[in-house]
Each structure stands twice: as structure tokens, then as C-alpha cells.
Amino acid sequence: MTETLQPQAPLMVLKIDVDTYRGTREGTMHLVTVLKAHKAQATFLFSLGPDHTGWALRRALRPGFFSKVSRTSVVEHYGIKTLMYGTLLPGPDIGRECAEQMRSVRDAGFECGIHTWDHVLWQDNVAKRDGAWSTNMMRKAAARFTQVFGSAPRTHGAAGWQMNNAAFAEHDTAGYAYASDGRCVLNENGTLAHPADGPHRLSDGDKVLSHIQLPTTLPTLDELLGREIDGVVIGTGNIADFLLKLTAGATRDHVYTLHSELEGQKLAPIFEQLLAGWKAQGYQLASMADYHQKIQHQTMPVCPITWGELPGRSGQLIVQGAARS
């Protein structure tokens, strides 16, 4: 279903975060249809345990939370029922109840990996929890993945781009060759603050981890919608053009993170505009596995595990640090 990769063509790596029960049941199925129509590859990263999206309301005191909620219409995209999971409604077990949908993604020819066990629990806690807690969560997710798919996972993309040192080390223990857990630092207008940023290895103190990180290089839709950038308010009518301007020229590989709850549902028309635009610009629409295959033998910069902020997103997250000399 996918076109043969051309060695000289830049890649647009499509990394799909699947956060919720609804996103797994509905958004992923729509995305599979769209991707197949465009002969595109992509990597789906699944949440495999309970959906406790309602717990995210505890972030209400975090600076920037309300501005993001008002800009991105969280209720519209996630639905009232999803926002009640873990509070007024019990959180459905995604991996147990949606195993058939997950396997159908794999059977359609797409790479599948781990996003997390419990999205909100991980995102809100991993930065301050110890290694035993994070390792246990990751191994629960890996065990459920193996139960669902009948084979061990090969890659990971962290929920909310939240990790800790022990979680990164667990990738090496699990034998992952690559993962996409962090972001490249962006300017206010969405451009790369450090244009050379991209695939790298991480240093944990004096130790260099063996797996390769493939950081997200572009802003996400929820980071852009409703913001005023260079005097223009970004809305659903112009957001695709805005992103395509960031990738014009096709001079490098990019990683774009999308969400089954957004691009897989109400924002699907925008995603189709992006797919058509990126193909017209000369990109090949690829998976994380494709990207790793392309760059695995290159010399990788080694960067420290680093936290930072990004325009349009509240709180700290993993970002690519300055390569050590």
C-alpha cells in the first residue's frame, strides 16, 4: 500500500498519538482510510490501559491551561463523555476493549508502538516519580501490547512528551532501536530554533544511551489554533497553509505529531490538505521505522536529557538539548 522510499527524497514522518478510548475506536479507523488513500505510511502509538482523560481537569491551575482549552475546543474534539472518564464515569480499558481496532491498524500495514499505559497518569506524574514507578508503567504497557499484537513492541512515543531518566534507560533494556519522546525547540512562529536539530542519542550523566531519538520537528495543530502569529490569527481555514510554509523547500526530514482525536476526527480535512501539500512539496510520507532505516548508520549527536517550553503548549516537556562536544 505504500510507495517505495526514494533515498534522496526528504521524509515527512507521521507519528500518530492515540490518547483515548474514543480516539482508538473512531479516529484511528478514519486515519487508516485517509492514509491508504494517499499511499502514506505512519506510526500509530497506542495508549494501552485505562482512559482517565477526566483527570486532566486537575491541570486547571497550570499556567496557560485555560488559554489552550479555549483555543482548541477540547470539549468539541474529545467529547463530553471522554472528559468524564475517571471522574463521573469509570475509565474504559482501551487495550482490552479496543484490541480488535488496534490489530486492524497493524493488519492494514502500519507500524504500531506504545504511547503509554495511562495517558493522564503518565503525563502528570512521570517527571516527579522514581525509576521503579516509571519502569513498572512502561512494562505494563509493553505486556499489554504483546498481549494485543502477539509480538513485543519495537518503539515508543511518550505521552505529553514527558519522560524521566529511568524511562529513557528502559528503552535500551527493552531493546528499542528508536523512539520519539521529545521535541525540537521552536521559535514563536513555528520555525526550528536550531535548524540542525533532529535524530540524536541521549546522555544520562556519563552514560550514552544506545537508542536513537527521533524528535518532533513541527508544531502540532493544538499548539497553533487560535494563536496570533506574525499578525495573523491561525484558524482552521489557514492552518494547513501555515504549516506548509514551514516545510516549503523540502530541504530536510521532518517528524509531525498528529492525534487520532484531532486529525482523525473533526480536523481530518486539514490533515488531508497537509498530506496533499507535503506530497506536492516532494516529501515521502513515512513511518518512524522508515526514518530509522534511513538514518541508523549516520553519526548521531549526543544530547543531554533536557526540559523546556514550546509556544502554544503549557508546562515543561522533553526538548532536544545542545549536543555535547
mmCIF file with all atom_site columns, all heavy atoms in Angstrom, residues 51-76:
data_model
loop_
_atom_site.group_PDB
_atom_site.id
_atom_site.type_symbol
_atom_site.label_atom_id
_atom_site.label_alt_id
_atom_site.label_comp_id
_atom_site.label_asym_id
_atom_site.label_entity_id
_atom_site.label_seq_id
_atom_site.pdbx_PDB_ins_code
_atom_site.Cartn_x
_atom_site.Cartn_y
_atom_site.Cartn_z
_atom_site.occupancy
_atom_site.B_iso_or_equiv
_atom_site.pdbx_formal_charge
_atom_site.auth_seq_id
_atom_site.auth_comp_id
_atom_site.auth_asym_id
_atom_site.auth_atom_id
_atom_site.pdbx_PDB_model_num
ATOM 1   N N   . ASP A 1 51 ? -8.544  4.710  30.198 1.00 0.00 ? 51 ASP A N   1
ATOM 2   C CA  . ASP A 1 51 ? -8.715  6.091  29.739 1.00 0.00 ? 51 ASP A CA  1
ATOM 3   C C   . ASP A 1 51 ? -9.213  6.915  30.926 1.00 0.00 ? 51 ASP A C   1
ATOM 4   O O   . ASP A 1 51 ? -10.372 6.823  31.313 1.00 0.00 ? 51 ASP A O   1
ATOM 5   C CB  . ASP A 1 51 ? -9.728  6.133  28.592 1.00 0.00 ? 51 ASP A CB  1
ATOM 6   C CG  . ASP A 1 51 ? -9.925  7.540  28.027 1.00 0.00 ? 51 ASP A CG  1
ATOM 7   O OD1 . ASP A 1 51 ? -9.492  8.509  28.665 1.00 0.00 ? 51 ASP A OD1 1
ATOM 8   O OD2 . ASP A 1 51 ? -10.528 7.660  26.943 1.00 0.00 ? 51 ASP A OD2 1
ATOM 9   N N   . HIS A 1 52 ? -8.327  7.711  31.487 1.00 0.00 ? 52 HIS A N   1
ATOM 10  C CA  . HIS A 1 52 ? -8.678  8.593  32.600 1.00 0.00 ? 52 HIS A CA  1
ATOM 11  C C   . HIS A 1 52 ? -8.561  10.055 32.174 1.00 0.00 ? 52 HIS A C   1
ATOM 12  O O   . HIS A 1 52 ? -8.028  10.892 32.912 1.00 0.00 ? 52 HIS A O   1
ATOM 13  C CB  . HIS A 1 52 ? -7.771  8.321  33.806 1.00 0.00 ? 52 HIS A CB  1
ATOM 14  C CG  . HIS A 1 52 ? -8.076  7.032  34.506 1.00 0.00 ? 52 HIS A CG  1
ATOM 15  N ND1 . HIS A 1 52 ? -7.106  6.178  35.000 1.00 0.00 ? 52 HIS A ND1 1
ATOM 16  C CD2 . HIS A 1 52 ? -9.269  6.420  34.785 1.00 0.00 ? 52 HIS A CD2 1
ATOM 17  C CE1 . HIS A 1 52 ? -7.682  5.124  35.555 1.00 0.00 ? 52 HIS A CE1 1
ATOM 18  N NE2 . HIS A 1 52 ? -8.984  5.253  35.444 1.00 0.00 ? 52 HIS A NE2 1
ATOM 19  N N   . THR A 1 53 ? -9.070  10.362 30.988 1.00 0.00 ? 53 THR A N   1
ATOM 20  C CA  . THR A 1 53 ? -8.943  11.705 30.451 1.00 0.00 ? 53 THR A CA  1
ATOM 21  C C   . THR A 1 53 ? -9.515  12.756 31.402 1.00 0.00 ? 53 THR A C   1
ATOM 22  O O   . THR A 1 53 ? -8.999  13.873 31.482 1.00 0.00 ? 53 THR A O   1
ATOM 23  C CB  . THR A 1 53 ? -9.633  11.800 29.080 1.00 0.00 ? 53 THR A CB  1
ATOM 24  O OG1 . THR A 1 53 ? -9.040  10.845 28.192 1.00 0.00 ? 53 THR A OG1 1
ATOM 25  C CG2 . THR A 1 53 ? -9.485  13.185 28.472 1.00 0.00 ? 53 THR A CG2 1
ATOM 26  N N   . GLY A 1 54 ? -10.579 12.425 32.121 1.00 0.00 ? 54 GLY A N   1
ATOM 27  C CA  . GLY A 1 54 ? -11.180 13.383 33.038 1.00 0.00 ? 54 GLY A CA  1
ATOM 28  C C   . GLY A 1 54 ? -10.237 13.882 34.112 1.00 0.00 ? 54 GLY A C   1
ATOM 29  O O   . GLY A 1 54 ? -10.392 14.996 34.628 1.00 0.00 ? 54 GLY A O   1
ATOM 30  N N   . TRP A 1 55 ? -9.236  13.069 34.456 1.00 0.00 ? 55 TRP A N   1
ATOM 31  C CA  . TRP A 1 55 ? -8.257  13.509 35.449 1.00 0.00 ? 55 TRP A CA  1
ATOM 32  C C   . TRP A 1 55 ? -7.477  14.736 34.982 1.00 0.00 ? 55 TRP A C   1
ATOM 33  O O   . TRP A 1 55 ? -6.909  15.462 35.799 1.00 0.00 ? 55 TRP A O   1
ATOM 34  C CB  . TRP A 1 55 ? -7.267  12.391 35.755 1.00 0.00 ? 55 TRP A CB  1
ATOM 35  C CG  . TRP A 1 55 ? -7.839  11.242 36.518 1.00 0.00 ? 55 TRP A CG  1
ATOM 36  C CD1 . TRP A 1 55 ? -9.105  11.116 37.025 1.00 0.00 ? 55 TRP A CD1 1
ATOM 37  C CD2 . TRP A 1 55 ? -7.156  10.025 36.846 1.00 0.00 ? 55 TRP A CD2 1
ATOM 38  N NE1 . TRP A 1 55 ? -9.256  9.906  37.651 1.00 0.00 ? 55 TRP A NE1 1
ATOM 39  C CE2 . TRP A 1 55 ? -8.081  9.206  37.563 1.00 0.00 ? 55 TRP A CE2 1
ATOM 40  C CE3 . TRP A 1 55 ? -5.877  9.537  36.615 1.00 0.00 ? 55 TRP A CE3 1
ATOM 41  C CZ2 . TRP A 1 55 ? -7.747  7.951  38.043 1.00 0.00 ? 55 TRP A CZ2 1
ATOM 42  C CZ3 . TRP A 1 55 ? -5.538  8.275  37.091 1.00 0.00 ? 55 TRP A CZ3 1
ATOM 43  C CH2 . TRP A 1 55 ? -6.459  7.493  37.800 1.00 0.00 ? 55 TRP A CH2 1
ATOM 44  N N   . ALA A 1 56 ? -7.430  14.967 33.673 1.00 0.00 ? 56 ALA A N   1
ATOM 45  C CA  . ALA A 1 56 ? -6.666  16.097 33.145 1.00 0.00 ? 56 ALA A CA  1
ATOM 46  C C   . ALA A 1 56 ? -7.214  17.431 33.614 1.00 0.00 ? 56 ALA A C   1
ATOM 47  O O   . ALA A 1 56 ? -6.521  18.455 33.548 1.00 0.00 ? 56 ALA A O   1
ATOM 48  C CB  . ALA A 1 56 ? -6.647  16.048 31.615 1.00 0.00 ? 56 ALA A CB  1
ATOM 49  N N   . LEU A 1 57 ? -8.452  17.450 34.089 1.00 0.00 ? 57 LEU A N   1
ATOM 50  C CA  . LEU A 1 57 ? -9.026  18.703 34.585 1.00 0.00 ? 57 LEU A CA  1
ATOM 51  C C   . LEU A 1 57 ? -8.269  19.216 35.796 1.00 0.00 ? 57 LEU A C   1
ATOM 52  O O   . LEU A 1 57 ? -8.377  20.399 36.149 1.00 0.00 ? 57 LEU A O   1
ATOM 53  C CB  . LEU A 1 57 ? -10.508 18.496 34.916 1.00 0.00 ? 57 LEU A CB  1
ATOM 54  C CG  . LEU A 1 57 ? -11.398 18.125 33.725 1.00 0.00 ? 57 LEU A CG  1
ATOM 55  C CD1 . LEU A 1 57 ? -12.832 17.902 34.183 1.00 0.00 ? 57 LEU A CD1 1
ATOM 56  C CD2 . LEU A 1 57 ? -11.342 19.192 32.647 1.00 0.00 ? 57 LEU A CD2 1
ATOM 57  N N   . ARG A 1 58 ? -7.477  18.360 36.437 1.00 0.00 ? 58 ARG A N   1
ATOM 58  C CA  . ARG A 1 58 ? -6.664  18.816 37.555 1.00 0.00 ? 58 ARG A CA  1
ATOM 59  C C   . ARG A 1 58 ? -5.563  19.774 37.112 1.00 0.00 ? 58 ARG A C   1
ATOM 60  O O   . ARG A 1 58 ? -4.944  20.428 37.941 1.00 0.00 ? 58 ARG A O   1
ATOM 61  C CB  . ARG A 1 58 ? -6.026  17.614 38.262 1.00 0.00 ? 58 ARG A CB  1
ATOM 62  C CG  . ARG A 1 58 ? -7.047  16.704 38.928 1.00 0.00 ? 58 ARG A CG  1
ATOM 63  C CD  . ARG A 1 58 ? -6.399  15.488 39.538 1.00 0.00 ? 58 ARG A CD  1
ATOM 64  N NE  . ARG A 1 58 ? -5.727  14.664 38.529 1.00 0.00 ? 58 ARG A NE  1
ATOM 65  C CZ  . ARG A 1 58 ? -5.218  13.448 38.789 1.00 0.00 ? 58 ARG A CZ  1
ATOM 66  N NH1 . ARG A 1 58 ? -5.304  12.943 39.999 1.00 0.00 ? 58 ARG A NH1 1
ATOM 67  N NH2 . ARG A 1 58 ? -4.624  12.759 37.841 1.00 0.00 ? 58 ARG A NH2 1
ATOM 68  N N   . ARG A 1 59 ? -5.344  19.845 35.788 1.00 0.00 ? 59 ARG A N   1
ATOM 69  C CA  . ARG A 1 59 ? -4.329  20.774 35.288 1.00 0.00 ? 59 ARG A CA  1
ATOM 70  C C   . ARG A 1 59 ? -4.827  22.211 35.250 1.00 0.00 ? 59 ARG A C   1
ATOM 71  O O   . ARG A 1 59 ? -4.126  23.107 34.790 1.00 0.00 ? 59 ARG A O   1
ATOM 72  C CB  . ARG A 1 59 ? -3.901  20.374 33.875 1.00 0.00 ? 59 ARG A CB  1
ATOM 73  C CG  . ARG A 1 59 ? -3.292  18.993 33.781 1.00 0.00 ? 59 ARG A CG  1
ATOM 74  C CD  . ARG A 1 59 ? -2.918  18.655 32.356 1.00 0.00 ? 59 ARG A CD  1
ATOM 75  N NE  . ARG A 1 59 ? -2.696  17.216 32.233 1.00 0.00 ? 59 ARG A NE  1
ATOM 76  C CZ  . ARG A 1 59 ? -2.924  16.533 31.125 1.00 0.00 ? 59 ARG A CZ  1
ATOM 77  N NH1 . ARG A 1 59 ? -3.391  17.150 30.059 1.00 0.00 ? 59 ARG A NH1 1
ATOM 78  N NH2 . ARG A 1 59 ? -2.684  15.231 31.084 1.00 0.00 ? 59 ARG A NH2 1
ATOM 79  N N   . ALA A 1 60 ? -6.046  22.446 35.715 1.00 0.00 ? 60 ALA A N   1
ATOM 80  C CA  . ALA A 1 60 ? -6.667  23.768 35.580 1.00 0.00 ? 60 ALA A CA  1
ATOM 81  C C   . ALA A 1 60 ? -5.856  24.881 36.217 1.00 0.00 ? 60 ALA A C   1
ATOM 82  O O   . ALA A 1 60 ? -5.946  26.042 35.802 1.00 0.00 ? 60 ALA A O   1
ATOM 83  C CB  . ALA A 1 60 ? -8.074  23.752 36.178 1.00 0.00 ? 60 ALA A CB  1
ATOM 84  N N   . LEU A 1 61 ? -5.039  24.546 37.207 1.00 0.00 ? 61 LEU A N   1
ATOM 85  C CA  . LEU A 1 61 ? -4.239  25.572 37.863 1.00 0.00 ? 61 LEU A CA  1
ATOM 86  C C   . LEU A 1 61 ? -2.902  25.813 37.174 1.00 0.00 ? 61 LEU A C   1
ATOM 87  O O   . LEU A 1 61 ? -2.155  26.704 37.569 1.00 0.00 ? 61 LEU A O   1
ATOM 88  C CB  . LEU A 1 61 ? -3.992  25.180 39.330 1.00 0.00 ? 61 LEU A CB  1
ATOM 89  C CG  . LEU A 1 61 ? -5.254  25.065 40.204 1.00 0.00 ? 61 LEU A CG  1
ATOM 90  C CD1 . LEU A 1 61 ? -4.865  24.635 41.610 1.00 0.00 ? 61 LEU A CD1 1
ATOM 91  C CD2 . LEU A 1 61 ? -6.013  26.381 40.231 1.00 0.00 ? 61 LEU A CD2 1
ATOM 92  N N   . ARG A 1 62 ? -2.600  25.019 36.162 1.00 0.00 ? 62 ARG A N   1
ATOM 93  C CA  . ARG A 1 62 ? -1.323  25.192 35.465 1.00 0.00 ? 62 ARG A CA  1
ATOM 94  C C   . ARG A 1 62 ? -1.367  26.425 34.588 1.00 0.00 ? 62 ARG A C   1
ATOM 95  O O   . ARG A 1 62 ? -2.340  26.640 33.847 1.00 0.00 ? 62 ARG A O   1
ATOM 96  C CB  . ARG A 1 62 ? -1.024  23.957 34.610 1.00 0.00 ? 62 ARG A CB  1
ATOM 97  C CG  . ARG A 1 62 ? 0.281   24.042 33.829 1.00 0.00 ? 62 ARG A CG  1
ATOM 98  C CD  . ARG A 1 62 ? 0.491   22.827 32.955 1.00 0.00 ? 62 ARG A CD  1
ATOM 99  N NE  . ARG A 1 62 ? 0.617   21.612 33.739 1.00 0.00 ? 62 ARG A NE  1
ATOM 100 C CZ  . ARG A 1 62 ? 0.683   20.399 33.200 1.00 0.00 ? 62 ARG A CZ  1
ATOM 101 N NH1 . ARG A 1 62 ? 0.605   20.259 31.876 1.00 0.00 ? 62 ARG A NH1 1
ATOM 102 N NH2 . ARG A 1 62 ? 0.806   19.338 33.963 1.00 0.00 ? 62 ARG A NH2 1
ATOM 103 N N   . PRO A 1 63 ? -0.320  27.262 34.608 1.00 0.00 ? 63 PRO A N   1
ATOM 104 C CA  . PRO A 1 63 ? -0.298  28.447 33.739 1.00 0.00 ? 63 PRO A CA  1
ATOM 105 C C   . PRO A 1 63 ? -0.479  28.061 32.271 1.00 0.00 ? 63 PRO A C   1
ATOM 106 O O   . PRO A 1 63 ? 0.162   27.147 31.772 1.00 0.00 ? 63 PRO A O   1
ATOM 107 C CB  . PRO A 1 63 ? 1.101   29.037 33.992 1.00 0.00 ? 63 PRO A CB  1
ATOM 108 C CG  . PRO A 1 63 ? 1.474   28.554 35.360 1.00 0.00 ? 63 PRO A CG  1
ATOM 109 C CD  . PRO A 1 63 ? 0.862   27.179 35.474 1.00 0.00 ? 63 PRO A CD  1
ATOM 110 N N   . GLY A 1 64 ? -1.375  28.765 31.595 1.00 0.00 ? 64 GLY A N   1
ATOM 111 C CA  . GLY A 1 64 ? -1.592  28.528 30.168 1.00 0.00 ? 64 GLY A CA  1
ATOM 112 C C   . GLY A 1 64 ? -2.628  27.475 29.857 1.00 0.00 ? 64 GLY A C   1
ATOM 113 O O   . GLY A 1 64 ? -2.999  27.301 28.696 1.00 0.00 ? 64 GLY A O   1
ATOM 114 N N   . PHE A 1 65 ? -3.121  26.759 30.877 1.00 0.00 ? 65 PHE A N   1
ATOM 115 C CA  . PHE A 1 65 ? -4.068  25.669 30.611 1.00 0.00 ? 65 PHE A CA  1
ATOM 116 C C   . PHE A 1 65 ? -5.367  26.203 30.025 1.00 0.00 ? 65 PHE A C   1
ATOM 117 O O   . PHE A 1 65 ? -5.857  25.715 29.018 1.00 0.00 ? 65 PHE A O   1
ATOM 118 C CB  . PHE A 1 65 ? -4.351  24.881 31.902 1.00 0.00 ? 65 PHE A CB  1
ATOM 119 C CG  . PHE A 1 65 ? -5.353  23.775 31.720 1.00 0.00 ? 65 PHE A CG  1
ATOM 120 C CD1 . PHE A 1 65 ? -4.964  22.546 31.213 1.00 0.00 ? 65 PHE A CD1 1
ATOM 121 C CD2 . PHE A 1 65 ? -6.686  23.957 32.054 1.00 0.00 ? 65 PHE A CD2 1
ATOM 122 C CE1 . PHE A 1 65 ? -5.890  21.518 31.046 1.00 0.00 ? 65 PHE A CE1 1
ATOM 123 C CE2 . PHE A 1 65 ? -7.616  22.939 31.894 1.00 0.00 ? 65 PHE A CE2 1
ATOM 124 C CZ  . PHE A 1 65 ? -7.206  21.717 31.387 1.00 0.00 ? 65 PHE A CZ  1
ATOM 125 N N   . PHE A 1 66 ? -5.950  27.242 30.649 1.00 0.00 ? 66 PHE A N   1
ATOM 126 C CA  . PHE A 1 66 ? -7.236  27.742 30.171 1.00 0.00 ? 66 PHE A CA  1
ATOM 127 C C   . PHE A 1 66 ? -7.131  28.358 28.779 1.00 0.00 ? 66 PHE A C   1
ATOM 128 O O   . PHE A 1 66 ? -8.047  28.225 27.969 1.00 0.00 ? 66 PHE A O   1
ATOM 129 C CB  . PHE A 1 66 ? -7.815  28.754 31.165 1.00 0.00 ? 66 PHE A CB  1
ATOM 130 C CG  . PHE A 1 66 ? -8.504  28.110 32.330 1.00 0.00 ? 66 PHE A CG  1
ATOM 131 C CD1 . PHE A 1 66 ? -8.027  28.291 33.613 1.00 0.00 ? 66 PHE A CD1 1
ATOM 132 C CD2 . PHE A 1 66 ? -9.622  27.300 32.150 1.00 0.00 ? 66 PHE A CD2 1
ATOM 133 C CE1 . PHE A 1 66 ? -8.650  27.688 34.692 1.00 0.00 ? 66 PHE A CE1 1
ATOM 134 C CE2 . PHE A 1 66 ? -10.258 26.698 33.226 1.00 0.00 ? 66 PHE A CE2 1
ATOM 135 C CZ  . PHE A 1 66 ? -9.770  26.892 34.506 1.00 0.00 ? 66 PHE A CZ  1
ATOM 136 N N   . SER A 1 67 ? -6.021  29.015 28.494 1.00 0.00 ? 67 SER A N   1
ATOM 137 C CA  . SER A 1 67 ? -5.890  29.615 27.165 1.00 0.00 ? 67 SER A CA  1
ATOM 138 C C   . SER A 1 67 ? -5.845  28.541 26.093 1.00 0.00 ? 67 SER A C   1
ATOM 139 O O   . SER A 1 67 ? -6.427  28.681 25.022 1.00 0.00 ? 67 SER A O   1
ATOM 140 C CB  . SER A 1 67 ? -4.634  30.488 27.091 1.00 0.00 ? 67 SER A CB  1
ATOM 141 O OG  . SER A 1 67 ? -3.463  29.717 27.260 1.00 0.00 ? 67 SER A OG  1
ATOM 142 N N   . LYS A 1 68 ? -5.173  27.414 26.393 1.00 0.00 ? 68 LYS A N   1
ATOM 143 C CA  . LYS A 1 68 ? -5.126  26.330 25.414 1.00 0.00 ? 68 LYS A CA  1
ATOM 144 C C   . LYS A 1 68 ? -6.501  25.689 25.237 1.00 0.00 ? 68 LYS A C   1
ATOM 145 O O   . LYS A 1 68 ? -6.941  25.406 24.124 1.00 0.00 ? 68 LYS A O   1
ATOM 146 C CB  . LYS A 1 68 ? -4.109  25.269 25.829 1.00 0.00 ? 68 LYS A CB  1
ATOM 147 C CG  . LYS A 1 68 ? -4.031  24.130 24.821 1.00 0.00 ? 68 LYS A CG  1
ATOM 148 C CD  . LYS A 1 68 ? -3.178  22.989 25.305 1.00 0.00 ? 68 LYS A CD  1
ATOM 149 C CE  . LYS A 1 68 ? -3.288  21.821 24.323 1.00 0.00 ? 68 LYS A CE  1
ATOM 150 N NZ  . LYS A 1 68 ? -2.596  20.615 24.790 1.00 0.00 ? 68 LYS A NZ  1
ATOM 151 N N   . VAL A 1 69 ? -7.204  25.455 26.366 1.00 0.00 ? 69 VAL A N   1
ATOM 152 C CA  . VAL A 1 69 ? -8.537  24.855 26.282 1.00 0.00 ? 69 VAL A CA  1
ATOM 153 C C   . VAL A 1 69 ? -9.469  25.720 25.451 1.00 0.00 ? 69 VAL A C   1
ATOM 154 O O   . VAL A 1 69 ? -10.222 25.228 24.597 1.00 0.00 ? 69 VAL A O   1
ATOM 155 C CB  . VAL A 1 69 ? -9.114  24.640 27.696 1.00 0.00 ? 69 VAL A CB  1
ATOM 156 C CG1 . VAL A 1 69 ? -10.593 24.297 27.625 1.00 0.00 ? 69 VAL A CG1 1
ATOM 157 C CG2 . VAL A 1 69 ? -8.350  23.530 28.412 1.00 0.00 ? 69 VAL A CG2 1
ATOM 158 N N   . SER A 1 70 ? -9.432  27.026 25.650 1.00 0.00 ? 70 SER A N   1
ATOM 159 C CA  . SER A 1 70 ? -10.327 27.906 24.912 1.00 0.00 ? 70 SER A CA  1
ATOM 160 C C   . SER A 1 70 ? -9.956  27.980 23.435 1.00 0.00 ? 70 SER A C   1
ATOM 161 O O   . SER A 1 70 ? -10.823 28.119 22.577 1.00 0.00 ? 70 SER A O   1
ATOM 162 C CB  . SER A 1 70 ? -10.303 29.317 25.534 1.00 0.00 ? 70 SER A CB  1
ATOM 163 O OG  . SER A 1 70 ? -9.006  29.874 25.452 1.00 0.00 ? 70 SER A OG  1
ATOM 164 N N   . ARG A 1 71 ? -8.664  27.865 23.131 1.00 0.00 ? 71 ARG A N   1
ATOM 165 C CA  . ARG A 1 71 ? -8.234  27.951 21.736 1.00 0.00 ? 71 ARG A CA  1
ATOM 166 C C   . ARG A 1 71 ? -8.585  26.706 20.947 1.00 0.00 ? 71 ARG A C   1
ATOM 167 O O   . ARG A 1 71 ? -8.890  26.772 19.762 1.00 0.00 ? 71 ARG A O   1
ATOM 168 C CB  . ARG A 1 71 ? -6.707  28.164 21.661 1.00 0.00 ? 71 ARG A CB  1
ATOM 169 C CG  . ARG A 1 71 ? -6.219  29.551 22.020 1.00 0.00 ? 71 ARG A CG  1
ATOM 170 C CD  . ARG A 1 71 ? -4.756  29.725 21.672 1.00 0.00 ? 71 ARG A CD  1
ATOM 171 N NE  . ARG A 1 71 ? -3.865  28.876 22.437 1.00 0.00 ? 71 ARG A NE  1
ATOM 172 C CZ  . ARG A 1 71 ? -3.285  27.780 21.974 1.00 0.00 ? 71 ARG A CZ  1
ATOM 173 N NH1 . ARG A 1 71 ? -3.515  27.373 20.740 1.00 0.00 ? 71 ARG A NH1 1
ATOM 174 N NH2 . ARG A 1 71 ? -2.488  27.059 22.738 1.00 0.00 ? 71 ARG A NH2 1
ATOM 175 N N   . THR A 1 72 ? -8.496  25.540 21.582 1.00 0.00 ? 72 THR A N   1
ATOM 176 C CA  . THR A 1 72 ? -8.572  24.292 20.820 1.00 0.00 ? 72 THR A CA  1
ATOM 177 C C   . THR A 1 72 ? -9.886  23.540 20.977 1.00 0.00 ? 72 THR A C   1
ATOM 178 O O   . THR A 1 72 ? -10.009 22.425 20.465 1.00 0.00 ? 72 THR A O   1
ATOM 179 C CB  . THR A 1 72 ? -7.413  23.363 21.231 1.00 0.00 ? 72 THR A CB  1
ATOM 180 O OG1 . THR A 1 72 ? -7.448  23.168 22.662 1.00 0.00 ? 72 THR A OG1 1
ATOM 181 C CG2 . THR A 1 72 ? -6.083  23.975 20.862 1.00 0.00 ? 72 THR A CG2 1
ATOM 182 N N   . SER A 1 73 ? -10.875 24.108 21.660 1.00 0.00 ? 73 SER A N   1
ATOM 183 C CA  . SER A 1 73 ? -12.197 23.487 21.764 1.00 0.00 ? 73 SER A CA  1
ATOM 184 C C   . SER A 1 73 ? -12.100 22.028 22.209 1.00 0.00 ? 73 SER A C   1
ATOM 185 O O   . SER A 1 73 ? -12.515 21.103 21.505 1.00 0.00 ? 73 SER A O   1
ATOM 186 C CB  . SER A 1 73 ? -12.935 23.573 20.421 1.00 0.00 ? 73 SER A CB  1
ATOM 187 O OG  . SER A 1 73 ? -13.056 24.910 20.003 1.00 0.00 ? 73 SER A OG  1
ATOM 188 N N   . VAL A 1 74 ? -11.550 21.829 23.408 1.00 0.00 ? 74 VAL A N   1
ATOM 189 C CA  . VAL A 1 74 ? -11.320 20.481 23.911 1.00 0.00 ? 74 VAL A CA  1
ATOM 190 C C   . VAL A 1 74 ? -12.604 19.671 23.955 1.00 0.00 ? 74 VAL A C   1
ATOM 191 O O   . VAL A 1 74 ? -12.628 18.497 23.574 1.00 0.00 ? 74 VAL A O   1
ATOM 192 C CB  . VAL A 1 74 ? -10.665 20.550 25.308 1.00 0.00 ? 74 VAL A CB  1
ATOM 193 C CG1 . VAL A 1 74 ? -10.666 19.183 25.970 1.00 0.00 ? 74 VAL A CG1 1
ATOM 194 C CG2 . VAL A 1 74 ? -9.243  21.082 25.188 1.00 0.00 ? 74 VAL A CG2 1
ATOM 195 N N   . VAL A 1 75 ? -13.695 20.271 24.415 1.00 0.00 ? 75 VAL A N   1
ATOM 196 C CA  . VAL A 1 75 ? -14.961 19.546 24.500 1.00 0.00 ? 75 VAL A CA  1
ATOM 197 C C   . VAL A 1 75 ? -15.402 19.086 23.123 1.00 0.00 ? 75 VAL A C   1
ATOM 198 O O   . VAL A 1 75 ? -15.845 17.944 22.930 1.00 0.00 ? 75 VAL A O   1
ATOM 199 C CB  . VAL A 1 75 ? -16.042 20.415 25.165 1.00 0.00 ? 75 VAL A CB  1
ATOM 200 C CG1 . VAL A 1 75 ? -17.396 19.714 25.100 1.00 0.00 ? 75 VAL A CG1 1
ATOM 201 C CG2 . VAL A 1 75 ? -15.670 20.718 26.614 1.00 0.00 ? 75 VAL A CG2 1
ATOM 202 N N   . GLU A 1 76 ? -15.271 19.959 22.135 1.00 0.00 ? 76 GLU A N   1
ATOM 203 C CA  . GLU A 1 76 ? -15.696 19.620 20.771 1.00 0.00 ? 76 GLU A CA  1
ATOM 204 C C   . GLU A 1 76 ? -14.907 18.437 20.224 1.00 0.00 ? 76 GLU A C   1
ATOM 205 O O   . GLU A 1 76 ? -15.467 17.539 19.583 1.00 0.00 ? 76 GLU A O   1
ATOM 206 C CB  . GLU A 1 76 ? -15.509 20.833 19.860 1.00 0.00 ? 76 GLU A CB  1
ATOM 207 C CG  . GLU A 1 76 ? -15.865 20.560 18.402 1.00 0.00 ? 76 GLU A CG  1
ATOM 208 C CD  . GLU A 1 76 ? -15.555 21.748 17.496 1.00 0.00 ? 76 GLU A CD  1
ATOM 209 O OE1 . GLU A 1 76 ? -15.095 22.790 18.007 1.00 0.00 ? 76 GLU A OE1 1
ATOM 210 O OE2 . GLU A 1 76 ? -15.768 21.617 16.280 1.00 0.00 ? 76 GLU A OE2 1
#
